[in-house]
């Protein structure tokens, strides 16, 4: 539900939303504050958070793009020597549900841009996140160690909370983007009674009184004595009571059914202060997820830079405008330890179906992954894995890169292929992005080509931005020469010297899939197979002679 | 009903104070507690109230006891003070002096001595009329404190004292018997004759209570029990008699020397033996009389001897003493 900017520090939406369940999170926080050890409080609250309206259906693309792996490996947060464990499930949900409202995308881009251009803002942002991590650790009892002093732990929680509020107020006062909501939130809290009570309680805990001593040091350097010069109680503090009243307070608590101890007095005061702050803590749980969203993106940018690659916030163009991606790379390859080869892609019009042909292991599937992730990141308002990009936001995405056989599948390979095509058209909204790998590869070429042509011609009616790889080279060449289907474009894998793929893409249709090259590389030539057969026969005869002997 | 808490201060904002109040008012307390918090609270409150009542009651009772003790002590101390005020300086030393004289007299007999002032009948009478402390016992008993105490306890204003102060008109058996019977009966005449004679036993019993040590014990007694014990000691002690004994000016004693145990004794234990009689002026520490005489109940008729041998011998001894002092006896013996 929309709320006042100063009430909820929402960094993901221009109109702040309370996205996590207030009652449930408040209860969890109360329990965590009282007893500690409420493991998973933050991640559970965020996993159940509502998200801005999205037209994307994650089941249509998330698994084919390895989205979860991308989040956990590419969006790592690294601050100095700290590498906090991010709440990957929440980030995956955020990426899989890009907002339908463009204003949200621009809001996020503005924040990310300010964080990437202002070192000061990023530093405060990271400081704030680390404080939130500490708050999370002490609330969830990340170490699992038994805490013998409950009051001390609760005081730690409150001290970190105050540190967070102070950081928000002072660190983001000069920000221009949506980050300013942090300063507004901090300012509102600092002006409130619960914050003053919190500050007083922490001061009461750390400085009940001041003792001035005169210390005498002997000739041998040892302390030979001391004298109390003055003793002054912090009488201005709202929590300070005279000693007799402190004693009677303990008696009172005992009569009320509590324990007779100073700890019990402090516990009551802590409870009174925390009660007024628990709703603000709920807001911080949500904020922790927001911070990870941006820090993950910044971490992705840092790692790409370390590998000599560039990322950017894409220029968002209208749906009819041509798209361009310069220096596009596959981030999953980067995280696997392989340095990807960036490529450039351009399309002449918005709604284009591009057939990609080329040799096996030429990078066609990796290209489709890169395109899908770039589109998804752009939709979420984050950096895309390209040096520069002009992209249009689209209403949905259908990706089919992996077709694994399953033991329980009811159809044969062709049947499964047809089911796949049917599902594609069921999910596909107009203007969506479509990424299909090796369409109709499960049947004989002549019949497969007919279905292929049908699909391509039908896709054109939905005006998608489609990329389809195929090894039906003759068929693709025919379509290119006939020019019967409007909006159809062709890309082929570029071959370098020795007919090896360069992982660049040029217009046109490839003339060969270079299956023989692949077979040779993988040891499937006639000579290689014959030598294997001879070796097996020789091994068998040797075994027989030993058996007779 | 919400009781205000002492945890709040005037400097707290109303909102914070309200939260502190709420925190102490309605939270469950001990982990694993079997009772509801309010029940625990009531139980503890009741226990504390009972504790306060018990302590208060005890303190009240103790204070009352101390007040009572103070009153009683004051009464007892007043009594002691009055008794002491009635004594002359040096009277408290009477017992010590008496003991010393008796110890001396129980030793070897130093010979007869009768002071001049006893020679005259009138002076004799007026001298004997002065306040006198009297004791009689076996010679050996006066050599130890216990023996002295036993003899003092057994000594009364007997036939000797009676006949010394109110002698029978004649030495005849009948006259002596009449005096002895008066002494035994303790009638008015006997009291008049012996009213100035006090028992040493009374002085021995009363003196400790008039000493500083007993007064210190009294001053230190704080409990009713201790004071009651002291009060009973005081009540049992013949203080008035003791005061009179201590104020005595003369010491009159009779020491019975060992008798011949081979001879038969009378029914009352009387048998022939030597008796020492002494009279000392306690104020001047002067011996007025040192006299020795053999008594023998054989002169008494058989019918009376069984019952009155001792008394009649004592009475006759007193008559002999009177006569010896006036010279009659000496002349007749000569």
């Amino acid at each position: 539900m929309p709320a006042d900017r100063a009430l909820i520090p929402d960094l993901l939406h221009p109109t702040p939303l309370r996205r996590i369940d207030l009652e449930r999170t408040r209860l969890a926080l109360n329990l965590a504050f009282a007893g500690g050890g409420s493991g998973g409080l933050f991640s559970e609250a965020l996993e159940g958070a509502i998200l801005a309206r999205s037209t994307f259906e994650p089941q249509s693309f998330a698994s084919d793009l390895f989205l979860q792996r991308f989040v956990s490996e590419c969006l790592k947060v690294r601050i100095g020597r700290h590498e906090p464990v991010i709440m990957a499930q929440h980030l995956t949900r955020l990426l899989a549900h890009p907002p339908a409202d463009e204003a949200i995308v621009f809001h996020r881009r503005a924040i990310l841009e300010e964080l990437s251009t202002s070192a000061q803002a990023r530093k405060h942002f990271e400081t704030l996140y680390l404080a939130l991590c500490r708050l999370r650790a002490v609330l969830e009892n990340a170490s699992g160690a038994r805490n013998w002093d409950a009051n001390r732990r609760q005081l730690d929680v409150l001290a970190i909370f105050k540190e967070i509020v102070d950081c928000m107020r002072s660190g983001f006062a000069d920000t221009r983007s949506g980050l300013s909501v942090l300063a507004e939130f901090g300012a509102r809290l600092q002006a409130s009674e619960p914050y003053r009570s919190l500050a007083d309680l922490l001061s009461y805990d750390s400085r009940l009184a001041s003792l001035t001593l005169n210390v005498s040091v002997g000739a041998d350097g040892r302390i030979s004595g001391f004298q109390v010069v003055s003793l002054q109680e912090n009488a201005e503090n709202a929590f300070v009571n005279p000693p007799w009243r402190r004693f009677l307070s303990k008696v009172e608590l005992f009569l009320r059914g509590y324990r007779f101890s100073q700890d019990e007095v402090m516990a009551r005061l802590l409870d009174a202060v925390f009660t007024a702050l628990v709703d603000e803590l709920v807001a911080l749980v949500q904020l922790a997820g927001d911070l990870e969203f941006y820090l993950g993106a910044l971490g992705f940018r840092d790692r790409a830079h370390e590998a000599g690659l560039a990322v950017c916030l894409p220029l968002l163009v209208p749906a009819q405008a041509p798209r361009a991606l310069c220096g596009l790379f596959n981030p999953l390859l980067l995280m696997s330890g392989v340095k990807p080869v960036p490529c450039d892609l351009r399309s002449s019009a918005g709604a284009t179906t591009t057939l990609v042909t080329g040799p096996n292991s030429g990078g066609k599937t990796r290209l489709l992954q890169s395109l899908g992730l770039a589109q998804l990141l752009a939709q979420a308002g984050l950096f895309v894995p390209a040096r520069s990009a002009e992209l249009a936001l689209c209403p949905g995405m259908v990706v089919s890169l992996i077709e694994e056989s399953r033991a329980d599948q009811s159809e044969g390979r062709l049947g499964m292929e047809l089911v796949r095509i049917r599902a594609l058209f069921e999910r596909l909204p107009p203007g969506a992005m479509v990424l299909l790998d090796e369409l109709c590869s499960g049947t004989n070429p002549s019949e497969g080509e007919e279905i292929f042509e049908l699909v391509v011609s039908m896709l054109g009616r939905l005006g998608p931005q489609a990329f389809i790889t195929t090894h039906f080279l003759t068929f693709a060449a025919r379509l290119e020469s006939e020019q019967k289907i409007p909006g159809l474009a062709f890309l082929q894998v570029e071959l370098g010297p020795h007919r090896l793929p360069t992982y660049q893409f040029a217009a046109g249709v490839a003339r060969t899939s270079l299956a023989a090259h692949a077979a040779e590389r993988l040891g499937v030539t006639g000579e290689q197979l014959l030598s294997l057969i001879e070796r097996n026969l020789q091994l068998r005869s040797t075994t027989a002679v030993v058996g007779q002997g | 009903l919400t009781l205000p808490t002492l945890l709040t201060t005037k400097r707290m904002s109303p909102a914070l104070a309200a939260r502190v109040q709420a925190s102490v008012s309605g939270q469950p307390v001990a982990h694993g507690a079997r009772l509801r918090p309010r029940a625990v609270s009531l139980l503890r409150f009741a226990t504390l109230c009972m504790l306060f009542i018990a302590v208060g009651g005890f303190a009240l009772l103790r204070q009352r006891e101390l007040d009572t003790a103070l009153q009683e002590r004051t009464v007892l101390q007043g009594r002691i003070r009055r008794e002491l005020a009635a004594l002359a300086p040096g009277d408290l030393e009477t017992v010590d002096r008496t003991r010393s004289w008796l110890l001396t007299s129980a030793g070897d007999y130093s010979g007869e001595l009768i002071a001049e002032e006893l020679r005259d009948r009138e002076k004799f009478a007026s001298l004997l009329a002065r306040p006198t402390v009297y004791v009689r016992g076996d010679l050996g008993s006066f050599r130890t404190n216990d023996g002295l105490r036993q003899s003092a306890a057994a000594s009364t204003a007997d036939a000797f004292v009676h006949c010394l102060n109110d002698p029978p008109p004649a030495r005849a058996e009948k006259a002596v018997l009449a005096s002895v019977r008066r002494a035994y009966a303790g009638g008015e005449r006997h009291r008049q004759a012996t009213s100035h004679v006090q028992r040493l036993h009374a002085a021995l019993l009363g003196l400790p209570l008039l000493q500083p040590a007993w007064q210190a014990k009294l001053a230190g007694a704080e409990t009713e029990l201790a004071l009651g014990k002291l009060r009973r000691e005081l009540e049992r002690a013949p203080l008035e008699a003791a005061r009179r004994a201590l104020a005595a000016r003369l010491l009159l004693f009779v020491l019975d020397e060992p008798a011949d145990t081979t001879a038969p004794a009378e029914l009352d234990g009387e048998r022939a033996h030597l008796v020492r009689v002494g009279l000392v002026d306690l104020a001047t520490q002067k011996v007025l009389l040192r006299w020795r005489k053999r008594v023998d109940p054989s002169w008494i008729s058989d019918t009376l001897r069984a019952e009155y041998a001792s008394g009649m011998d004592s009475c006759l001894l007193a008559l002999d003493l009177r006569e010896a002092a006036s010279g009659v006896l000496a002349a007749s013996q000569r």
Side-chain angles (χ1 to χ4, degrees), chain B residues 300-323:
Chain B
I300 305 169
S301 62
D302 291 343
T303 53
L304 294 176
R305 200 167 54 227
E307 192 173 357
Y308 298 105
S310 177
M312 291 177 75
D313 262 355
S314 297
C315 188
L316 195 61
L317 180 68
L319 279 178
D320 288 345
L321 175 61
R322 290 181 70 94
E323 288 172 4

Side-chain angles (χ1 to χ4, degrees), chain B residues 115-127 325-326:
Chain B
E116 279 304 316
E117 47 264 49
L118 292 176
R119 302 272 179 200
D120 181 75
R121 277 185 184 276
E122 288 182 2
K123 283 185 180 176
F124 182 89
S126 71
L127 191 68
S326 59

Side-chain angles (χ1 to χ4, degrees), chain A residues 305-443:
Chain A
H305 279 180
E306 285 168 14
L309 299 165
V311 299
C312 69
L313 283 173
L315 181 65
L316 296 179
V317 297
Q320 301 78 20
R323 275 78 156 175
L325 283 158
C326 297
L328 175 69
F329 67 91
N330 189 317
L332 293 172
L333 273 181
L334 175 65
M335 298 310 153
S336 305
V338 178
K339 185 176 178 183
V341 179
C343 66
D344 297 339
L345 291 179
R346 286 181 190 283
S347 68
S348 54
T352 306
T353 299
T354 306
L355 297 187
V356 186
T357 54
N360 293 301
S361 303
K364 298 190 296 298
T365 307
R366 293 293 185 183
L367 173 71
L368 297 191
Q369 272 180 346
S370 309
L371 287 167
L373 288 172
Q375 185 67 33
L376 208 54
L377 290 167
Q379 298 270 159
L382 299 180
F383 296 118
V384 300
R387 190 173 61 254
S388 67
E390 291 174 25
L391 295 174
L393 299 180
C394 62
M397 178 185 283
V398 177
V399 180
S400 179
L401 304 184
I402 314 158
E403 270 314 312
E404 292 172 344
S405 296
R406 295 198 311 269
D408 61 343
Q409 65 187 35
S410 55
E411 298 289 341
R413 194 164 174 197
L414 175 64
M416 289 304 295
E417 191 73 40
L418 296 174
V419 168
R420 181 182 170 196
I421 291 166
R422 167 79 187 191
L424 164 69
F425 282 94
E426 279 175 356
R427 296 175 194 161
L428 195 62
M433 174 173 254
V434 178
L435 302 171
L436 298 175
D437 193 26
E438 300 191 12
L439 185 64
C440 298
S441 58
T443 185

Side-chain angles (χ1 to χ4, degrees), chain B residues 206-225:
Chain B
L207 180 63
L209 278 66
L210 302 174
Q211 299 280 26
W214 198 84
Q215 290 170 47
K217 200 155 76 169
L218 179 61
E222 288 189 342
T223 63
E224 204 169 352
L225 188 70

Side-chain angles (χ1 to χ4, degrees), chain B:
Chain B
L1 179 65
T2 304
L3 294 172
T5 176
L6 288 166
L7 266 68
T8 54
T9 67
K10 288 178 183 172
R11 294 178 299 281
M12 280 184 180
S13 69
L16 175 61
R19 291 199 301 273
V20 172
Q21 181 71 54
S23 178
V24 300
S25 298
Q27 301 290 324
V29 198
H31 298 293
R34 291 181 184 174
L35 294 173
R36 288 168 178 271
R38 190 164 292 279
V40 173
S41 174
L42 286 173
L43 198 63
R44 288 182 178 177
F45 187 74
T47 306
L48 204 70
C49 282
M50 286 166 66
L51 196 67
F52 275 133
I53 290 169
V55 169
F58 178 77
L60 208 64
L61 286 173
R62 174 75 181 140
Q63 189 58 45
R64 193 172 292 172
E65 189 182 34
L66 286 175
D67 289 347
T68 309
L70 184 65
Q71 281 181 347
E72 182 156 11
R73 190 163 55 228
T74 306
V75 169
L76 296 178
Q77 285 172 334
R79 171 106 188 262
I80 297 294
R81 267 197 301 277
R82 280 197 302 278
E83 297 297 339
L84 284 171
L87 291 172
D91 284 356
L92 290 177
E93 295 166 13
T94 299
V95 170
D96 285 341
R97 289 175 188 160
T98 302
R99 188 178 286 124
S100 172
W101 280 116
L102 289 172
L103 187 63
T104 306
S105 303
D108 294 338
Y109 184 62
S110 306
E112 189 176 294
L113 172 84
I114 298 175
E116 279 304 316
E117 47 264 49
L118 292 176
R119 302 272 179 200
D120 181 75
R121 277 185 184 276
E122 288 182 2
K123 283 185 180 176
F124 182 89
S126 71
L127 191 68
L128 284 183
R130 292 170 64 187
T132 304
V133 60
Y134 169 72
V135 65
R136 177 173 183 170
D138 292 338
L139 182 75
S141 68
F142 293 102
R143 291 179 184 138
T144 62
N145 286 336
D146 282 344
L148 171 65
R149 201 173 295 118
Q150 285 170 12
S151 293
S155 299
T156 55
D158 55 12
F160 172 75
V161 176
H162 181 89
C163 293
L164 191 63
N165 289 283
D166 183 9
R171 294 176 63 92
E173 186 183 72
K174 189 178 178 183
V176 171
L177 178 63
S179 287
V180 170
R181 279 182 171 160
R182 274 196 292 274
Y184 282 7
E188 183 59 31
R189 185 171 171 179
H190 173 74
R191 271 195 295 278
Q192 281 183 359
T194 61
S195 61
H196 62 288
V197 178
Q198 302 300 326
R199 297 172 67 202
L200 177 62
H201 182 61
L204 290 175
L205 288 177
L207 180 63
L209 278 66
L210 302 174
Q211 299 280 26
W214 198 84
Q215 290 170 47
K217 200 155 76 169
L218 179 61
E222 288 189 342
T223 63
E224 204 169 352
L225 188 70
L227 278 164
K229 190 178 170 190
L230 293 173
R231 188 185 63 241
R232 283 191 294 278
E233 275 184 36
L234 197 63
E235 284 168 353
R236 277 200 299 268
L239 266 190
E240 196 178 337
R243 177 172 49 75
R244 286 201 300 270
L246 291 170
R249 292 292 161 255
L250 296 176
L251 165 63
L252 175 64
F253 58 84
V254 176
L255 309 182
D256 295 297
E257 291 188 16
D260 177 9
T261 54
T262 56
E266 301 305 325
L267 286 178
D268 63 355
E270 182 67 355
R271 59 172 41 138
H273 66 288
L274 286 169
V275 180
R276 296 181 193 178
V277 179
L279 185 66
V280 179
D281 187 333
L282 290 171
T284 59
Q285 294 288 300
K286 181 186 173 185
V287 178
L288 299 175
L289 174 71
R290 187 165 59 236
W291 186 66
R292 193 183 199 192
K293 175 79 170 64
R294 180 179 173 80
V295 294
D296 187 350
S298 58
W299 65 277
I300 305 169
S301 62
D302 291 343
T303 53
L304 294 176
R305 200 167 54 227
E307 192 173 357
Y308 298 105
S310 177
M312 291 177 75
D313 262 355
S314 297
C315 188
L316 195 61
L317 180 68
L319 279 178
D320 288 345
L321 175 61
R322 290 181 70 94
E323 288 172 4
S326 59
V328 175
L329 183 61
S332 68
Q333 282 176 344
R334 275 194 298 272

